[in-house]
Amino acid sequence: MSNATPTVPMGREETVDVGTGSADFMTFGPVHLDVIDADRSLGFWKDVVGLHLRGRNEAALELGTPDETLIVLHPGAVSRPRRGFSGLYHVAIHLPNEVEFARVLARLIKRRWPMPTPWPETGSGP
């Protein structure tokens, strides 16, 4: 019988320990989004969120940190999501510190970007 700990490949030469539950961090790689207007989407992710444009060709725009791609935009979508539905439910971008978080938040507020309330307007919380 082998004493090797089972692992699951995670796409970028990384593995997550699934045998002992001792993994400190897990990643699934970049999020791919189909977009209608590549330049408008690039403006949001670059100018508002603060990601760097890592590469661009006719098929995709890669954005992220200087070292890692986090978002890949694919131009060519033919319709917007239905009103009230984004098609994407959650993207988490871990910023390095509170100062960087405050900078992103300030850019959102400056542009009057709509931000949902934490809970539905029924007044009920978790």
Side-chain angles (χ1 to χ4, degrees), residues 5-19 26-28:
T5 303
T7 60
V8 175
M10 296 307 295
R12 284 183 288 139
E13 300 179 22
E14 296 173 299
T15 59
V16 174
D17 181 343
V18 295
M26 184 168 98
T27 182
F28 292 102

Side-chain angles (χ1 to χ4, degrees), residues 18-80:
V18 295
T20 64
S22 65
D24 291 327
F25 187 79
M26 184 168 98
T27 182
F28 292 102
V31 173
H32 291 254
L33 302 172
D34 293 329
V35 299
I36 294 173
D37 186 337
D39 291 326
R40 181 172 182 233
S41 297
L42 174 63
F44 171 77
W45 290 104
K46 187 172 162 277
D47 300 334
V48 177
V49 177
L51 299 181
H52 298 273
L53 180 60
R54 294 179 39 84
R56 180 178 193 159
N57 61 40
E58 291 180 16
L61 292 85
E62 293 187 11
L63 295 120
T65 68
D67 300 322
E68 182 177 12
T69 298
L70 301 174
I71 303 287
V72 179
L73 304 176
H74 297 277
V78 294
S79 66
R80 296 187 182 280

Side-chain angles (χ1 to χ4, degrees), residues 97-120:
N97 53 52
E98 291 175 353
V99 171
E100 290 303 318
F101 175 76
R103 287 181 178 144
V104 171
L105 186 58
R107 289 191 297 264
L108 289 166
I109 291 169
K110 180 180 178 182
R111 288 167 174 83
R112 297 180 181 208
W113 196 266
M115 291 184 259
T117 57
W119 296 286

